[in-house]
Amino acid sequence: MSPVASDATTTLQPPGRTAARWLILAVICLAQLTVILDNTVLNVAIPSLTGDLGASTADVQWMINAYSLVQSGLLLTAGNSADRYGRKKMLAVGLVLFGVASLGAALAQSPGQLIAARAGMGVGGALLVTTTLAVVMQIFDDDERPKAIGIWSSVNSLGFAAGPLIGGTLLDHFWWGSLFLVNLPVAVMALAAVIALVPESSSRGGECPDLLGALLSMIGMVGVVFAIISGPVTGWLSGRVLVSAAIGLAGLAAFALWELHVPYPMLDMHFFRNRRFIGAVAGGILVAFGMGGSMFLLTQHLQLVLGYGPLDAGLRMAPLAVTVILLNFTGLSARLLPRLGTPGMIVSGMSLLAAGLAAISLLGGDGYGGMLTGLIVMGVGVAFAMPAMANAIMSAIPPAKAGVGAGVNGTLMEFGQGLGVAVLGAVLNSRFVALLPLVAAGAGSLPAALARTRTEAERTAVHDAFAAGIGTSQLVGAAAVFLGGLVAAILLRRAERAGQDPEVPATPAGAEPAAAPAE
């Protein structure tokens, strides 16, 4: 190891148990919650935005998607910047950007202004997603880290469940700009706490910034995510989707080739030689696949099959998030981790997640009781698998690359959730079409199919076909999650038995080693 790299690593040795660590965790979880809420909260404001700003359908789509596109495209770059320039510094910058952009969104007078503000919020959100997890890795030691990561990951579930509820409540009493103004006191409070409490750390080693790698990663991720977002709207074989997917995949391929040959890579591709890292990555994608796809299906199941309104549907999905929060905040999953091991926690959690999806498919078609059982079982599975997965990914990457590790974790979540919506949505539509010739004739959705019906018997047939499509897609998701859990557990178990470290390639003078020990 070169002297420079040695110095960089020395600054990152665990500092012991920071006295204010749990207070710091509470603050960064609050900041993380605002990021997750802004992924979902705007959906309930679509009618208000259309009326007040004169937004077209395309404008509304860009208002919603600008945030997720920018955030997903910048996750790896944000993590690398945190490692290079300081995690505390980048966390503070992210809070400032997020707060300023939220104010701009609240005061927007046109669709273009709101789209630009949402993109700015995506930049801040990318910094917050990566730096919050990197700080958790920094301030907690090995004994407390699983519980801390469990609490941090619970915020994701809370945000997805609470977004529509909070948005609906605010819109009942205030104008749509209040959805963004609530971010301001959170950002100010979190910024003050970060400046006062969070210790600084970085892995600055004198290496040159990987600017081309950052550009290629952004092109690749934005292209892929845009294709996934556009597929359900324009069709999976439309020119927009195919061109976007081709550009994204080409960008990611070019990024991988560039990272293999550049002296100071943003993401060391040699990590992918480590079976522990590969197992955690595979499992992470499929947990996110199950969560993203199931949320997409559950909202339609509750509203279109069981007939609940948006607010009632949101309330009936809450047991999943409540279960995750209770198990992680009480530390149950963290206490089980030493007993079951990471592979055991992952396979147990993903098996429960799959069982919950299957239960909803088989028992939830006629009423909410069967669905409630499935939601609780899913919540237990997510509480077991998701923190173990995040811990496995972060543990497989050297401490000097904690920000990049958080970027990888965030990228997996974005990609897995989008993939879940795309794949399970495609299964739903294909089953719907197969069961109902009326849809095959050109009515490509449930409302469109219902509009073509003339008798009660036809409407019943349409509903039954859609419910069958929902059930089939949930079973497909359950099978994918279960098999993914087995694969991830096998790879992790083999890596543990072999005590495998990533292979360390030759390192240029003055550079940080490509891969430090993974265990």
Side-chain angles (χ1 to χ4, degrees), residues 120-176:
M121 291 171 66
V123 178
L127 284 167
L128 293 178
V129 168
T130 52
T131 52
T132 51
L133 182 54
V135 169
V136 169
M137 296 298 295
Q138 170 196 353
I139 63 176
F140 289 95
D141 59 22
D142 292 342
D143 292 335
E144 293 183 331
R145 193 173 294 142
K147 181 178 180 180
I149 290 180
I151 293 173
W152 178 88
S153 65
S154 297
V155 172
N156 296 319
S157 301
L158 177 60
F160 283 115
L165 302 179
I166 293 174
T169 302
L170 287 172
L171 288 175
D172 281 344
H173 298 88
F174 307 102
W175 100 114
W176 60 264

Side-chain angles (χ1 to χ4, degrees), residues 53 63 101 104-120 176:
L53 295 181
M63 290 172 190
L107 300 178
Q109 300 296 311
S110 69
Q113 291 176 5
L114 183 54
I115 291 168
R118 290 278 290 171
W176 60 264

Side-chain angles (χ1 to χ4, degrees), residues 439-468:
V439 179
S445 67
L446 179 63
L450 288 173
R452 290 169 172 250
T453 60
R454 297 180 179 179
T455 66
E456 187 63 30
E458 289 178 344
R459 284 190 286 273
T460 300
V462 169
H463 274 287
D464 290 345
F466 189 80

Side-chain angles (χ1 to χ4, degrees), residues 85 127 155 177 184 207 423 461 471 483:
Y85 300 112
L127 284 167
V155 172
L184 297 182
E207 65 271 21
V423 172
L483 293 175

Side-chain angles (χ1 to χ4, degrees), residues 66-362:
Y67 180 75
S68 56
L69 280 172
V70 172
Q71 180 177 299
S72 60
L74 287 176
L75 282 169
L76 284 176
T77 302
N80 184 259
S81 298
D83 289 336
R84 178 175 174 80
Y85 300 112
R87 299 174 186 101
K88 174 179 179 177
K89 189 182 287 90
M90 289 297 103
L91 179 54
V93 170
L95 286 166
V96 171
L97 287 175
F98 196 79
V100 171
S102 295
L103 179 60
L107 300 178
Q109 300 296 311
S110 69
Q113 291 176 5
L114 183 54
I115 291 168
R118 290 278 290 171
M121 291 171 66
V123 178
L127 284 167
L128 293 178
V129 168
T130 52
T131 52
T132 51
L133 182 54
V135 169
V136 169
M137 296 298 295
Q138 170 196 353
I139 63 176
F140 289 95
D141 59 22
D142 292 342
D143 292 335
E144 293 183 331
R145 193 173 294 142
K147 181 178 180 180
I149 290 180
I151 293 173
W152 178 88
S153 65
S154 297
V155 172
N156 296 319
S157 301
L158 177 60
F160 283 115
L165 302 179
I166 293 174
T169 302
L170 287 172
L171 288 175
D172 281 344
H173 298 88
F174 307 102
W175 100 114
W176 60 264
S178 62
L179 300 177
F180 304 108
L181 284 182
V182 295
N183 295 334
L184 297 182
V186 175
V188 171
M189 181 178 66
L191 180 62
V194 165
I195 293 172
L197 301 174
V198 175
E200 182 62 283
S201 68
S202 67
S203 56
R204 186 178 302 170
E207 65 271 21
C208 299
D210 183 12
L211 298 179
L212 182 57
L215 177 62
L216 291 172
S217 72
M218 284 187 279
I219 292 173
M221 281 304 301
V222 169
V224 170
V225 173
F226 184 72
I228 291 172
I229 289 173
S230 301
V233 178
T234 63
W236 293 105
L237 296 180
S238 66
R240 176 191 293 184
V241 171
L242 294 177
V243 170
S244 177
I247 292 173
L249 293 173
L252 291 177
F255 171 73
L257 290 173
W258 172 255
E259 296 300 285
L260 283 170
H261 296 95
V262 68
Y264 305 101
M266 184 170 72
L267 174 63
D268 193 332
M269 303 305 292
H270 294 92
F271 291 144
F272 291 92
R273 295 179 180 175
N274 183 352
R275 280 179 293 191
R276 178 172 182 170
F277 183 75
I278 290 293
V281 164
I285 289 176
L286 285 164
V287 167
F289 176 97
M291 283 293 292
S294 65
M295 292 298 104
F296 170 74
L297 295 174
L298 286 171
T299 54
Q300 297 188 72
H301 191 151
L302 285 163
Q303 294 184 58
L304 300 179
V305 176
L306 299 182
Y308 293 107
L311 184 59
D312 288 335
L315 287 170
R316 281 164 175 79
M317 289 176 63
L320 189 154
V322 171
T323 302
V324 175
I325 293 165
L326 288 176
L327 291 180
N328 281 330
F329 273 75
T330 57
L332 177 61
S333 57
R335 289 196 295 272
L336 288 175
L337 183 59
R339 300 180 185 178
L340 299 180
T342 298
M345 285 291 288
I346 287 174
V347 74
S348 298
M350 294 183 73
S351 297
L352 288 168
L353 178 56
L357 281 169
I360 290 172
S361 173
L362 300 173

Side-chain angles (χ1 to χ4, degrees), residues 52 119 135 199 230-231 261 367 389 411 414 449 497:
D52 294 351
V135 169
S230 301
H261 296 95
M389 207 79 68
T411 300
E414 292 280 345
R497 288 176 178 172

